[in-house]
Each structure stands twice: as structure tokens, then as C-alpha cells.
Amino acid sequence: MHCLTNTVVQTLTANALLAVGAAPAMVDEPAEAEGFAAVASAVLVNVGTVSRRTAEAMRLAARSAAAAGTPWVLDPVAVGGLAFRTELAGELLGSRPAVVRGNASEVMALAGAGAGGRGVDSTAAADDAREAAVALAGRTGGVVAVSGAVDVVTDGTRTVRVGGGSPLLTRTTGAGCALGALVAAYVAATGDPLTGAVAAHAHVALAAEAAAAVAAGPGTFAPLWLDALDAVTDLSAARVTA
Amino acid sequence: MHCLTNTVVQTLTANALLAVGAAPAMVDEPAEAEGFAAVASAVLVNVGTVSRRTAEAMRLAARSAAAAGTPWVLDPVAVGGLAFRTELAGELLGSRPAVVRGNASEVMALAGAGAGGRGVDSTAAADDAREAAVALAGRTGGVVAVSGAVDVVTDGTRTVRVGGGSPLLTRTTGAGCALGALVAAYVAATGDPLTGAVAAHAHVALAAEAAAAVAAGPGTFAPLWLDALDAVTDLSAARVTA
Amino acid sequence: MHCLTNTVVQTLTANALLAVGAAPAMVDEPAEAEGFAAVASAVLVNVGTVSRRTAEAMRLAARSAAAAGTPWVLDPVAVGGLAFRTELAGELLGSRPAVVRGNASEVMALAGAGAGGRGVDSTAAADDAREAAVALAGRTGGVVAVSGAVDVVTDGTRTVRVGGGSPLLTRTTGAGCALGALVAAYVAATGDPLTGAVAAHAHVALAAEAAAAVAAGPGTFAPLWLDALDAVTDLSAARVTA
């Protein structure tokens, strides 16, 4: 799976993908990203530490994925608060991501409905962004997933909520970004953006619950969460509701 | 908190900030860094893996922070040994960092008093750099903190020492860099560079002692240190002396 | 030790080097890399997330190391599958790396013997690349190490195999890349590319076995492997055969 993601979270993202059986590859040089996106099973574009160079790689990879029919996921980190990436994310929507995954502020900003987030945190609950998510899904023709204490996932028509998880996810840098990568892997595996996005959120939530039960704090939580991502094989216990 | 830091330590730095209740954001594109630094609570500039691109982002962020009255911290990794970053760090001093945090070799090189370090390690004890630190604090009008077995923190007039900690900190890549970020967070929280710098060093040392007591080696130390950063809420046991 | 390596694995690589007593320094700005490579004890060049900028730093560092007689190691991540890095790696061979370390697909591609890998994974066993490794060693005048369930290390004349280890290494992002760094450190310490490469593979395998015996999954394996890298001091139990 081809990941163009931010340098803060690359390691956790790669390890999370390996834990669920996916094969991560992180290639962000424009000279390579275009061709690689066309042959990957899925592509993740996360703008967390985007630069002019990687923005160009993201544009090429998104277009290439769209042209090849490869599902790709957009994670609009901190969009709304910073002009350069906000413009880039708006432009990337034109390549029709199979899934957009972000927090409420980011999704509202991307949908043109919010007043802007404050960096990487969201000041709003996921349900506050439900209307924006539905509208955005209508525009992309794909799925929009809003992370929160209860996640909201919609294809514009159907809306599914995923509960559970653990607050320790919010104290682990890159947990949300790794979730975006798992969404891409699950969409590739299931062939369906809504099913894949819900399954990834359910998998992450169940693993977080298992890890939180044994972690001594936010530091030991991260490796235990990876162990649990590997151990979870049955998603039927997840709190998935309409 | 806005961090322009090196790619080796971004993850640990972000997790350390989350552990103490701060909100990290890592934005190093020049097109974004200037505006972001102006609205952040504090800014960290760490030159560990600086490139021409991120050097420009650092110049803009430091100037922007200075103009906005935002406290910012300079971590002059390997300054003295490498010409490009040594020149950059010297230039950044013009934006008057609230705190400079480094090892003895780096502080001596930055003060023009040393013969140059050997990469990221210091070959000198913190106290060897005390005079250089006092001189440097006089030039910046801020605080200079020298890390070592016993840390030396000075505002040019008052000098405080922080003992304790663990040698395992020196075997964990990025522990010193994360300390620089915690200094920035504490300066923002306390409103005072000397108080903030001492508190951050004390917090790191106490957490290191707690983690070292239960770690089986340098690998398990890192997550346990993050747990301990989260658990430490009382700094009164720290070995802070004049 | 000077590492020009990919941003996904920098942290694990630095911590692995610290665990075995080496001193990592990651400098990838062209303005700094050339001079730094000349004074380092060894240099690692890993093309995992290479860009045009870091490619230039790699060219300069490899040439500088070669001119100074500093041993350097080439890790040709995903070479064969992507044109930009494949061309770069071929060019870097001209600076005669002391060791090339990769998986079977990468070594076959670099030797011009393979049909190309699929990204960072190898679809072939290490022994499948033995002939290619011998041929490549003949061209560079150095050692070629092929990682697999049983590693194959050759100087073109003598071939040594290293068994043991753990499948959990393949589920830890950067374990192979960290091995490349340890090869460089061991070559510097032993003064002999074949001895150094074999010792590094043996050290990694023994540490992996110790960590796998106590890890609860792929997430907890990584910190325990670092602990074990630190704890292993005797390589005589390693499964090294002709």
C-alpha cells in the first residue's frame, strides 16, 4: 500500500499496516509517486507535514490513482487552519478520494462549512460534522469518516457510527493517521469504501480497548495497540450502529 | 505548540508533549510556518536534520514568533561541528530565543567559546559550559540550558542545577530533543523562561528515574518514560539546586 | 556514524545503533553530508524515501566516504521496482560500497539479474539471490548481504549463512534498515567488511530470538528487540554456517 504521509507518523502507520497484514511502502518523491500509485493496491494521502515537494507528489499520486481506479484516502490534517494545505486538499478532492478521513474541524473546513480548526486537534464532536460529511460525500461520490469519541462514517446516504475505542488513542501521536492508512487497506481488501472504512474504524476501536485494558499509560499503550491490531481477527464485538 | 524539529525525533517529541498535556503540531513548510508560529503558544526550532527548505521555515518561524511575542526555544543540535547549521543557529540568535537548550559542546560552539563538538554528542560536562551559557544568555537576553548528568540552567544572572535523571536518557534517541520541546511548553505555561526551563528539566529527570526503575533496557525505557511523563504531577522531589 | 536513511526508520535505526554502543548522526542536507561523511567512522546510505535533494546528499556522501577510505553501506530499498532510485543505486555502486545489504529482489535487481521487486518486500528467498550477490560483490570489490529467513553474506569468494532470528523482524518496520546501519557500525569496529557484516547479522538474529521469546506481539517486540540488542554481548551462539 502506497502511503504519502507525514514524517511524524510514518513509523506507527507502517507498523499498524504490518500488524493487520498489509504491506506499507512510503514513496513521496514526485519522480516515483505517480507511477507507484498506479500499481499500488491503495493510496493514502495525508497532508500533516506537507511541503511544496510532497504536495506535488500527492497531486500526481492522487491523479494517478484516480486514473487507474485505485482507491485512495485523503487525510486532511489541520486543513482549515493553514492556507497552503487547505488549498491543496480542496484541489485533491477533484481526484475523488474513495474516503476522506479526518476530525470534525477538518471535515467541516474541507466541506466549506466550518470556521477552521486549531491545528491537528478538533474542537468539535464528530456528530457536529455529520451534515458537512454528508455534503462532502455528495461532492466526492465517496465516503467521509469523522473521528471522535463516536466516529461517524457516511457515504452521503447511509450513516454508520462506531463507538468504543479509548481516549489513549488521542494521546498517541499518529493513531488517527494510522487509522487513515488502515481505512485505505480495508477499502482495498473489501472493495467497498463504506464497508472498508467502517471495518477499519471498528478494528482500531477494538484494538484500542484491548490495549487500554493492559497499558500503564500513553507510552506503553502504543506498542500494546499494535499487538492488539495484530490479535484482533473478529470485528463482531465492535459498537457499530446506524 | 509549533515544533520545527528533526525527523528522527518527531514522534517521541510529539508523544512527550501529549504526555504532559501539551498539543504538538509539526509544520515545517515555509509557506505555513511563518503564520503558524505567530498563533502558536510556543515554538521549538531544532536543527537536527535541517535542510535549506526547513532552514527557511525556521528563519520565518523564529522572526514571526519574536514579532508576536511568542516564546521560542532553539535546540542547536550538532552546532559547532557542521558549518551550515552553525551559521544558521548564529543567525537565529538574532530573533532572541527565550531559551537555548543544548549540550555543553553545542552551547560552547554557539557562544563562540568552544572548539566544536563531535556531532550530536557532547564531549564535555554541562558545568564546563557554564561560563559560555552565562555569556550566551547575556547576548540573547533569555535563558540557556545545558544538558548533562547535572543540567545547568541560567538566565545570565541566576544559575540553577537540575540533577537526577538516568543514563538511559542518553541511550534513547530524541530524549534531549523532546526535553527542548517540553521547555517550550513549560515556558508557555509558566510565562517565565527560567522557571519553565527548570520545571521541564525537573519533569524529565523525575520521569526518567521512575522509568529507569522498571525498564529492562534502553528499548523498553522509552515507552515507560512517556508513561512516567504523564504520571509525574509533582516536581517537588526534583534535585534542583543553586 | 553517519546515516542517510529513510524517514520511516530513522528512529529505530538510531536507537538500534545506540543499543549496540554506536553513535548515530543523521545528516542529509547536501551542504553538510559531504564533509560529514569524510569524518564519520562509517556511512549508511538507504534510499527508502529518497528525494532529489537527499539523492544529491547521498552521491556526495558516498563519493566523500570513498575518497576518505571510510567504509560505507548501501541499502537499496525497493530498487528494481522504481526507476529513479534504481538509477541512483546503480550510480552509487561506482563509489564502491564496503557492503550492499538488501533483500533478494533488491540484490538481484541491482546486479541486473532480477525482474524487479515489488516495493519493499522480497518475493524471493535469500539463496535465490546468491549468484547475483556473488556477481555484485565481484563488481564492487566489497561484500553483499542478502536478508531472508537465512541470510546470505558473500565477498564474492567466501559465502557465509546466518540463520535464526524471528519472523517478527519482518513485521517491524525498519528492522532490516536498522540491520544495514549495524552492518556499517560493525564494519567500522572490525575493520573488515565480511566479518562486520556477518557479526551484525548474527547480533540482530540473536537479539530477535531473545525478544521473540518474551514479546506478546509485533508491537511489544520492537522495544524488547532494542533491549536485546543492548544485552547481547556474545555472538558465539549465532547460527553462522558456510
Side-chain angles (χ1 to χ4, degrees), chain B residues 48-81:
Chain B
T49 55
V50 69
S51 65
R52 291 188 187 282
R53 174 180 73 81
T54 54
E56 182 57 17
M58 289 172 187
R59 281 186 200 100
L60 292 168
R63 267 186 235 146
S64 177
T70 305
W72 75 278
V73 172
L74 174 63
D75 193 331
V77 179
V79 159

Side-chain angles (χ1 to χ4, degrees), chain C residues 118-130:
Chain C
R118 53 170 195 97
V120 294
D121 290 318
S122 180
T123 51
D127 249 324
D128 296 345
R130 193 177 51 81

Side-chain angles (χ1 to χ4, degrees), chain B residues 4-6 9 43-50 58 72-94 97-112 116-122 129 132-133 136-137 139-140 143-147 152 176-181 183 201, chain C residues 25-27 32:
Chain B
L4 294 119
T5 192
N6 75 75
V9 308
V43 178
L44 169 70
V45 174
N46 172 309
V47 300
T49 55
V50 69
M58 289 172 187
W72 75 278
V73 172
L74 174 63
D75 193 331
V77 179
V79 159
L82 295 159
F84 177 74
R85 66 185 63 196
T86 301
E87 196 174 326
L88 172 67
E91 185 188 338
L92 290 170
L93 287 180
V99 184
V100 174
R101 187 220 71 86
N103 63 34
S105 293
E106 293 157 355
V107 168
M108 286 190 285
L110 200 54
R118 54 170 195 99
V120 295
D121 289 317
S122 180
L136 187 58
R139 272 168 59 196
T140 63
V143 163
V144 177
V146 191
S147 298
V152 173
C177 298
L179 167 57
V183 167
H201 283 74
Chain C
M26 312 233 161
V27 172
E32 296 188 332

Side-chain angles (χ1 to χ4, degrees), chain C residues 153-242:
Chain C
V153 186
T154 182
D155 64 0
T157 306
R158 293 163 295 175
T159 296
V160 178
R161 285 175 178 75
V162 183
S166 164
L168 286 171
L169 284 172
T170 66
R171 307 197 59 204
T172 304
T173 201
C177 298
L179 168 57
L182 296 189
V183 167
Y186 260 107
V187 171
T190 63
D192 180 67
L194 186 63
T195 305
V198 170
H201 283 73
H203 195 148
V204 162
L206 288 173
E209 290 164 33
V214 288
T220 47
F221 175 76
L224 291 166
W225 180 61
L226 292 171
D227 280 0
L229 284 175
D230 171 56
V232 166
T233 52
D234 177 0
L235 303 181
S236 62
R239 302 182 199 181
V240 178
T241 56

Side-chain angles (χ1 to χ4, degrees), chain A residues 118-160:
Chain A
R118 53 170 194 99
V120 294
D121 290 318
S122 180
T123 51
D127 249 323
D128 296 344
R130 194 177 50 80
E131 279 185 47
V134 168
L136 186 57
R139 271 168 60 197
T140 62
V143 162
V144 177
V146 191
S147 298
V150 175
D151 308 311
V152 173
V153 186
T154 182
D155 65 359
T157 306
R158 293 163 295 174
T159 296
V160 178

Side-chain angles (χ1 to χ4, degrees), chain A residues 25-64:
Chain A
M26 312 233 161
V27 173
D28 65 8
E29 165 57 32
E32 296 188 331
E34 184 172 17
F36 195 56
V39 299
S41 58
V43 178
L44 169 70
V45 174
N46 173 308
V47 300
T49 55
V50 70
S51 66
R52 291 189 187 281
R53 174 180 72 83
T54 55
E56 182 57 17
M58 290 173 186
R59 282 186 198 100
L60 291 168
R63 267 185 235 147
S64 177

